[in-house]
Amino acid sequence: MFHSPRRLCSALLQRDAPGLRRLPAPGLRRPLSPPASAPRPASPRLLAAVSAASGAARSCSRTACSMGTGTSRLYSALAKTLNSSAASQHPEYLVSPDPEHLEPIDPKELLEECRAVLHTRPPRFQRDFVDLRTDCPSTHPPIRVMQWNILAQALGEGKDNFVQCPVEALKWEERKCLILEEILAYQPDILCLQEVDHYFDTFQPLLSRLGYQGTFFPKPWSPCLDVEHNNGPDGCALFFLQNRFKLVNSANIRLTAMTLKTNQVAIAQTLECKESGRQFCIAVTHLKARTGWERFRSAQGCDLLQNLQNITQGAKIPLIVCGDFNAEPTEEVYKHFASSSLNLNSAYKLLSADGQSEPPYTTWKIRTSGECRHTLDYIWYSKHALNVRSALDLLTEEQIGPNRLPSFNYPSDHLSLVCDFSFTEETDGLL
Ligand SMILES: NC(=O)C1=CN([C@@H]2O[C@H](COP(=O)(O)OP(=O)(O)OC[C@H]3O[C@@H](n4cnc5c(N)ncnc54)[C@H](OP(=O)(O)O)[C@@H]3O)[C@@H](O)[C@H]2O)C=CC1
Ligand SMILES: [Mg+2]
């Protein structure tokens, strides 16, 4: 069900000449300004259910904050355990609902609810898929992967110092709808997120009803927990569509640097495509931020590569790694990934004229220290085993606007990256 609009759209777009920009489904855009008589749902049924859970979780975290940082840390430990069977011992508002007992959501209905909440906001930015089709035909539908640092609510409101972003643009009840709208617009088969601090109360319940299976791994000492009224720790989340993939194995990895445990994490999962029976590994990470930490990031990257070597049995299983690496392409950690024996390439380089250059930015914001425009987010893939069939272009400087990100139009300081992958033909031994 979740697939039909895009399948229809991509079927129509197949008729475009190769190299032409492909447009996403027109029905997925918010109108420029809603007509006065625009129908609005009498009650936003799907979002309302989630808001109730969100309120309960927030009141819990308020209590935690008022009792000091120690309690916030306790909340962190509690939230960490919720992905396990121990969840049943915890209060109802913290427990992931069992997807088996939740009714499926019609994505169009959820999109309409999001649009109703956002009716006073400016329209979504137009972004097009760029067709990168190689000569290799593929008999199976592509695998659409989205990489996105969605901006933790607690960091956006309490730590990031986005001095040009109005506080109203950060209100969670609206910002979450912009995030959901972006996900619903591109309908990824796999969703790799960083800075998720609303997993249990928002993304897990909603996305599971859209057919996704989710996994969350919070940072052990999330900086969100230092923010008053936080909603728990932030971390990485990985979602995949259950009707397309079967989970073969899953690893939550706490990254090390020079053998020491760090505050950064990754999730790596081996999935099997139900259509083709082929397996691949998908990983998501968020490396240490800030200047001065380049060697630390490099060590974390080496640790992640080592883990992925083991998981892919020495590169026998094709690999996709999504992440906010907090590192420009000039940094050592980028070079480790580019030259690894896992034979990885960075997908967004393919949008450049020579196929060798990363985009000029994936994040753009204004802090008290000034303007920060950097390329930090990447989708790495096994270059001999996978083809990138298309990639979503980035926002232009004009679209981003003089106040940069986040804004009333776009919910995060990082842009989402979206690629369609297909397997190359028989590649055993070439990975
Ligand atoms: N590491 C540890 O063992 C311990 C950590 N802590 C707490 O953890 C926090 C540090 O966590 P750590 O994971 O290392 O954090 P990071 O340095 O990785 O940064 C955390 C977040 O801050 C954002 N960020 C980056 N640059 C800036 C900036 N200039 N101003 C504001 N925010 C920025 C990053 O966003 P983006 O990626 O989008 O740039 C990132 O999500 C501290 O607040 C500390 O209280 C406490 C005890 C121990
Ligand atoms: Mg951030």
Side-chain angles (χ1 to χ4, degrees), residues 185-257:
Y186 302 120
Q187 305 188 8
D189 300 308
I190 300 173
L191 184 53
C192 294
L193 304 177
Q194 299 82 32
E195 293 199 26
V196 178
D197 65 346
H198 277 270
Y199 179 83
F200 294 105
D201 62 21
T202 303
F203 294 106
Q204 200 279 340
L206 281 175
L207 292 175
S208 71
R209 294 175 67 187
L210 288 166
Y212 289 94
Q213 181 168 331
T215 301
F216 176 58
F217 194 25
K219 293 170 80 165
W221 297 96
S222 164
C224 293
L225 300 176
D226 297 332
V227 176
E228 203 181 356
H229 307 324
N230 71 76
N231 193 58
D234 77 307
C236 292
L238 201 163
F239 293 90
F240 64 85
L241 277 182
Q242 281 179 298
N243 66 1
R244 290 215 60 190
F245 310 108
K246 190 178 94 185
L247 181 64
V248 177
N249 73 57
S250 183
N252 283 2
I253 302 162
R254 182 171 178 185
L255 296 173
T256 64

Side-chain angles (χ1 to χ4, degrees), residues 355-381:
Q356 299 299 312
S357 316
E358 290 289 352
Y361 48 84
T362 60
T363 179
W364 202 340
K365 55 218 157 199
I366 302 174
R367 289 200 161 111
T368 36
S369 52
E371 196 139 346
C372 313
R373 191 188 94 146
H374 298 291
T375 303
L376 307 178
D377 306 279
Y378 306 97
I379 301 181
W380 297 93
Y381 67 100

Side-chain angles (χ1 to χ4, degrees), residues 195 219 221 226 263-264 286 288-290 324 326 414:
E195 293 199 26
K219 293 170 80 165
W221 297 96
D226 297 332
N263 198 29
Q264 277 63 38
H286 185 188
K288 170 74 186 156
R290 296 163 209 270
D324 171 358
N326 269 311
H414 290 253

Side-chain angles (χ1 to χ4, degrees), residues 149 160 195 413-414:
N149 176 333
D160 266 296
E195 293 199 26
D413 55 325
H414 290 253

